Amino acid sequence: MAALSVACGWVMRVTTLGLFLLFGLALAVGGGWLLALRGSAFYLLSGLTLLWVSWGLWRHRRWAGWLYAAWLLVLLAWSLWEAGLYWWPLATRLGVPVLLGLLLALPAARRSAPRGYTGPAGWPVLATSLLLAAVALAGIPRHLHEIRGTLPMTAIAVAPALGDDAPPPGEWHAYGRSDYGQRYSPLAQITPANIGRLQPAWQMRTGDMRLPQDVGETTYEATPLKIGDTLYLCTPHSWALALDADTGAVRWRFDPGAGMEPQRQHQSCRGLSWFADPAAANGGACATRVFLASADAKLHALDAASGRHCEDFADHGVLDLTHNMPFKQAGYYYSTSPPLVAAGKVIVAGAVNDNYAVDSPSGVIRAYDARSGALLWNWDSGNPAHTAPLDPADPAQVYTASSPNSWAVASADEALGLAYFPMGNRTPDQLGMYRSPAEEKYASSVVALDLASGQARWVHQFVHHDLWDMDTPAQPSLLDLDLPQGRTPALVIPTKQGDVYVLDRRDGRALLPAGERAAPQGTEIPGQTVAARQPYSALSFEPPPLREADMWGASLVDQMLCRIQFRRLRYEGRYTPPSLRGSLVYPGNFGTFNWGGVAVDPQRQVMFGMPTYLAFVSTLVPRAQLQGQAMNTGEHGLNENKGADYAVELKPFMSPIGVPCQVPPWGTIAAADLRTGKIAYQYRNGSIRDLSPVPVPIRLGVPGIGGPLLTAGGVVFMAAAVDDNFRAYDLASGKVLWNVRIPAGGQATPMTYLDSQGRQMVLLVAGGHGSIGTRPGDYVLAYRLENGSGRRNE
């Protein structure tokens, strides 16, 4: 037994020495590199101290324990100075040192004989380790970047405008319920008081599953429509389906045969569009129709009753959207968002692949007669004054190559005769020398187009000379605001930068304060220029600029490696110009807000959204360095920019172990009063259950993509986060009221409607998102209150 005890003590001591030595070497080497980059000296000094402790342990010196205990106290003071009393930034700094301290406090780790002792004392290390653990635990209730408060729930407008032709309360006629894009329902059966009774009503599977040959960003983002007793939705491979709204049974299914194309950056469909022909007699074939924009750049008009093509539309129900395009590379142009149907027109915009080629399809926006498919006008941001329709039969007539496009959902106010389009950028995103003055004017903005003529009536730009892919990503939400000057028609639009602009939708004037401020300057790219000033809004969820102290990781070592990356990159805050060594983009290309946008309550005149914080790295790569590298595999990664002197590489700013380099939270929920611009609350959202090797539901605050549904009952529904959960929130407080697991990623915006029994249903499509790695699937999930649902909404 004595021999076994000696052997165990020797193994424990050697293990302890090895851990201290490795930890010290890593901090000393990495710390020296960081100091050479003009970063913190703490890591180098810590590494040298730990190497000294290791030598003392090897030599059985009593001072080794005291030295480590002293270093722990210095570490605590430094951590509190850098990060404050917050659990997550403290945990990454103190976790491993505390564990090593507890190990060192074990007698077996400090002695080399079963009896007697000549090595370091254990109690100083134990006491300081427990002190550090206690301080870190004290920070658990505190969370970075949170705002605590409540949202005023007073009804400002008793009978608010819900759209020019607002659906009946129990229906959902467009992507955002109406062309106002509010994502708000007047249904109020489900409330914070009874939501605990919300249970699954039915579930169906579309049969459209992600395939091995699919592109990386194959995503299920559809928000269904509900007209009469039928639901209409689409799937990632451009199928259209009609379902019984009570049971989910399939009434018809249409597959356009869009095929697979590896050059598509996105394989997705966010929704269908619906049109009721007021001139149709006796409800004949195609008196009501749905429009499907398929992934092969075709627009299909389908009879809403049967799913068959409307033969009187375009070419037997199919319109080829590549007509008059200057370039027609396969997979470079398609629509992921549903067309806008307004004023008897179906208005189609499209996505153009980012950064694949300088010479790409046009970003033109085109209005077609919703009955015949005849082209009525075309607005090309590269040639904006000329909206008379080109001749689709004349290949010599072409739109402007690569002009800024509009890939998100549009809105409309038919009473004002205006359609509102969120605008993207001209490709290449990071190289500005190819842009014309017209393209500069309309890029990364919202533009109001005349519904009758297509002429631009006003434009409000959110980024000047955009070099960061800060497309305007979300549908504008329209509502009327009761302001000191009276009831005002407003437009609310969130941006990737985190700003939320509240504009007068008649002329684009800012209703909440907005201005411009100086932006970082300087570029080493020949021919590249940088805007001197950039816009901002007073209502903003923009995060503070990153500091070296904001770097994060599972331990001091990978945190230090993130600090090294941070110091090697160019970063001077928001709008740091792209560079050859790599520039930090924060908020990143993922966007503080993306296509899910925000939901607005036109009665209470407030908004709810999901600000996300994830830094990206943008690197320009000279063409001479591209040989043998994989390119054009998706929106992120290395993209060629064929025809340009530089390719671009985009990637999230991640640690070596694959977690974001900046301190959490990375995802939040938030609400604001739109009349005052005051943020009422902001809280971390989502857990790491589906990100971690161990499925622990720690509410860290994770990224997400998708949007919220807001109801008159004071409840907000949203999935979106990268955990497979569907949640409901109290609009007043932001508190999570209901949280259920779902069988796949919920990266779609939910909707709500009444079934044939007058019961409020909540519906979510769950199929996952290829870019963020959530679980794939093909589910449509419906929920309703159990044991009665209250009174019928009229």
Side-chain angles (χ1 to χ4, degrees):
M1 290 296 294
L4 180 61
S5 177
V6 169
C8 290
W10 183 85
V11 170
M12 179 67 78
R13 182 167 179 265
V14 169
T15 301
T16 304
L17 276 170
L19 290 174
F20 269 83
L21 185 62
L22 288 173
F23 195 36
L25 280 172
L27 291 178
V29 174
W33 189 3
L34 179 60
L35 185 61
L37 295 170
R38 304 180 70 178
S40 172
F42 182 80
Y43 295 85
L44 174 60
L45 296 175
S46 295
L48 296 175
T49 300
L50 291 175
L51 291 176
W52 193 9
V53 169
S54 300
W55 185 85
L57 291 175
W58 176 253
R59 301 294 297 171
H60 297 280
R61 298 294 189 256
R62 293 189 64 84
W63 52 258
W66 285 96
L67 179 59
Y68 189 69
W71 177 75
L72 288 177
L73 293 175
V74 173
L75 172 66
L76 176 61
W78 171 79
S79 300
L80 291 171
W81 172 70
E82 272 208 334
L85 188 60
Y86 296 99
W87 162 253
W88 288 113
L90 288 179
T92 191
R93 291 164 169 82
L94 306 182
V96 171
V98 165
L99 292 176
L100 287 176
L102 295 175
L103 177 63
L104 185 58
L106 297 174
R110 294 176 285 113
R111 69 187 180 196
S112 57
R115 299 181 184 84
Y117 183 71
T118 59
W123 69 265
V125 176
L126 178 62
T128 50
S129 297
L130 293 175
L131 173 63
L132 266 65
V135 171
L137 291 171
I140 287 179
R142 294 164 53 86
H143 303 281
L144 287 166
H145 313 312
E146 288 199 342
I147 299 170
R148 298 181 180 273
T150 57
L151 198 63
M153 297 296 284
T154 306
I156 307 300
V158 177
L162 303 179
D164 296 299
D165 187 18
E171 298 199 356
W172 195 279
H173 286 192
Y175 175 80
R177 189 169 182 270
S178 75
D179 282 344
Y180 271 26
Q182 295 172 344
R183 282 167 287 284
Y184 167 84
S185 170
L187 300 181
Q189 291 180 12
I190 301 170
T191 68
N194 65 19
I195 196 169
R197 305 203 326 259
L198 197 65
Q199 296 292 332
W202 54 261
Q203 169 183 302
M204 70 85 62
R205 303 190 68 172
T206 67
D208 186 1
M209 288 294 294
R210 190 178 302 171
L211 303 172
Q213 64 269 37
D214 275 334
V215 298
E217 190 164 309
T218 296
T219 66
Y220 205 177
E221 300 172 344
T223 297
L225 309 179
K226 197 266 188 177
I227 296 99
D229 61 357
T230 306
L231 296 166
Y232 299 94
L233 67 152
C234 58
T235 71
H237 295 98
S238 302
W239 300 0
L241 292 92
L243 308 179
D244 183 293
D246 280 3
T247 66
V250 177
R251 290 185 166 163
W252 56 255
R253 179 185 281 108
F254 169 78
D255 180 359
M260 307 300 297
E261 173 49 60
Q263 288 297 293
R264 290 176 195 149
Q265 284 185 334
H266 310 274
Q267 183 76 44
S268 185
C269 180
R270 297 192 181 100
L272 303 173
S273 304
W274 180 74
F275 173 68
D277 187 352
N282 303 320
C286 289
T288 59
R289 60 187 65 184
V290 292
F291 291 101
L292 166 70
S294 58
D296 57 348
K298 301 237 180 5
L299 180 65
H300 301 262
L302 306 175
D303 178 25
S306 66
R308 298 187 183 95
H309 275 122
C310 296
E311 293 291 325
D312 59 349
F313 181 86
D315 183 7
H316 302 285
V318 184
L319 197 158
D320 185 351
L321 295 172
T322 65
H323 72 80
N324 301 104
M325 283 295 180
F327 297 96
K328 299 184 180 183
Q329 303 99 320
Y332 275 44
Y333 177 87
Y334 40 86
S335 294
T336 55
S337 294
L340 174 68
V341 175
K345 302 173 179 66
V346 54
I347 308 174
V348 184
V352 177
N353 282 355
D354 282 341
N355 302 323
Y356 277 21
V358 172
D359 294 327
S360 289
S362 176
V364 63
I365 297 169
R366 292 168 286 188
Y368 303 91
D369 187 291
R371 301 169 187 85
S372 68
L375 181 63
L376 301 177
W377 54 256
N378 34 230
W379 184 77
D380 178 358
S381 57
N383 188 19
H386 298 86
T387 61
L390 300 191
D391 181 359
D394 184 358
Q397 298 184 37
V398 294
Y399 301 115
T400 307
S402 310
S403 54
N405 63 317
S406 180
W407 55 265
V409 186
S411 305
D413 185 333
E414 291 191 40
L416 291 176
L418 295 176
Y420 305 95
F421 284 86
M423 295 299 295
N425 203 357
R426 188 202 197 282
T427 189
D429 288 301
Q430 289 75 22
L431 298 172
M433 63 281 291
Y434 302 98
R435 303 169 190 173
S436 69
E439 291 169 340
E440 291 280 24
K441 178 179 179 179
Y442 291 104
S444 305
S445 69
V446 61
V447 62
L449 301 183
D450 188 290
L451 278 168
S453 67
Q455 288 286 332
R457 295 304 179 209
W458 58 260
V459 62
H460 194 112
Q461 190 169 63
F462 309 124
V463 191
H464 299 326
H465 194 60
D466 184 0
L467 301 174
W468 304 272
D469 187 24
M470 291 299 170
D471 300 344
T472 307
Q475 181 182 27
S477 296
L478 313 184
L479 77 165
D480 295 339
L481 293 179
D482 289 276
L483 301 173
Q485 62 266 37
R487 183 159 292 181
T488 306
L491 176 151
V492 179
I493 189 160
T495 66
K496 284 187 177 181
Q497 305 92 293
D499 293 326
V500 178
Y501 289 84
V502 181
L503 309 176
D504 188 320
R505 66 177 182 267
R506 296 170 296 188
D507 55 21
R509 291 184 303 109
L511 296 175
L512 291 181
E516 295 192 353
R517 57 194 179 201
Q521 297 294 290
T523 175
E524 69 267 52
I525 307 302
Q528 184 91 292
T529 60
V530 181
R533 301 182 67 79
Q534 292 289 359
Y536 70 91
S537 173
L539 175 52
S540 182
F541 297 90
E542 173 191 12
L546 286 174
R547 309 165 299 153
E548 184 190 316
D550 295 321
M551 298 301 101
W552 197 73
S555 71
L556 274 176
V557 174
D558 55 312
Q559 182 202 74
M560 174 187 65
L561 294 175
C562 283
R563 288 182 182 238
I564 290 170
Q565 288 188 66
F566 179 80
R567 287 293 180 181
R568 295 181 69 193
L569 296 168
R570 180 177 180 183
Y571 182 63
E572 293 131 42
R574 181 165 149 179
Y575 301 124
T576 299
S579 64
L580 296 174
R581 75 172 186 259
S583 294
L584 198 58
V585 182
Y586 187 65
N589 303 78
F590 197 70
T592 305
F593 296 99
N594 207 287
W595 57 261
V598 299
V600 300
D601 185 330
Q603 187 176 41
R604 302 175 180 104
Q605 301 184 10
V606 298
M607 60 148 280
F608 183 98
M610 183 185 62
T612 293
Y613 304 107
L614 197 63
F616 268 65
V617 178
S618 171
T619 307
L620 295 176
V621 183
R623 179 155 299 280
Q625 299 177 14
L626 298 180
Q627 189 68 31
Q629 296 198 55
M631 295 180 291
N632 297 358
T633 59
E635 189 172 355
H636 300 146
L638 182 63
N639 287 331
E640 181 182 8
N641 284 339
K642 184 177 180 181
D645 292 331
Y646 299 90
V648 63
E649 183 181 28
L650 293 174
K651 59 184 179 182
F653 183 38
M654 307 289 273
S655 78
I657 61 172
V659 299
C661 265
Q662 87 256 19
V663 66
W666 309 305
T668 65
I669 54 98
D673 187 322
L674 291 171
R675 294 183 302 143
T676 64
K678 181 181 178 182
I679 298 173
Y681 57 76
Q682 185 170 11
Y683 299 112
R684 70 197 191 281
N685 182 60
S687 77
I688 60 170
R689 174 171 181 166
D690 296 301
L691 298 176
S692 170
V694 180
V696 181
I698 299 173
R699 191 162 70 97
L700 193 63
V702 297
I705 191 164
L709 158 68
L710 201 158
T711 70
V715 178
V716 182
F717 291 93
M718 188 173 68
V722 294
D723 55 4
D724 297 335
N725 287 62
F726 188 20
R727 296 179 174 88
Y729 309 82
D730 181 6
L731 175 61
S733 66
K735 177 183 176 182
V736 176
L737 301 170
W738 178 80
N739 186 3
V740 295
R741 295 287 288 169
I742 53 179
Q747 281 68 55
T749 301
M751 52 83 75
T752 187
Y753 63 94
L754 293 180
D755 69 4
S756 63
Q757 304 302 308
R759 298 171 295 188
Q760 184 177 354
M761 310 286 287
V762 176
L763 188 142
L764 173 72
V765 166
H769 195 291
S771 291
I772 59 177
T774 51
R775 185 178 302 160
D778 62 340
Y779 297 89
V780 183
L781 309 171
Y783 301 83
R784 66 169 173 251
L785 293 174
E786 184 184 60
N787 299 325
S789 58
R791 292 179 298 176
R792 178 193 296 263
N793 285 73
E794 300 295 334

